[in-house]
Amino acid sequence: MSNAKAMKLLTGVMEAVLAIPVLGGLIVLASAYWALVVMCVLHAATLIILNFESPE
């Protein structure tokens, strides 16, 4: 599995967990919104990896 596919899978699973109404809200509030910062960084890293691995 390539790095791009692994990052897409990782961010997708984490987004799915945060999208569960009560569980995701509890995670975000318990982490004092740091979960959202981490997700933003992971999405940015995934975008950069995808841009470097995309065929031109």
Side-chain angles (χ1 to χ4, degrees), residues 23-44:
L23 179 64
L26 287 174
I27 291 171
V28 169
L29 291 176
S31 69
Y33 289 89
W34 276 104
L36 299 179
V37 174
V38 169
M39 287 306 299
C40 182
V41 170
L42 282 177
H43 279 296

Side-chain angles (χ1 to χ4, degrees), residues 2-15:
S2 68
N3 287 337
K5 285 186 180 182
M7 287 297 289
K8 283 172 40 177
L9 180 64
L10 175 70
T11 55
V13 168
M14 291 179 73
E15 280 291 329

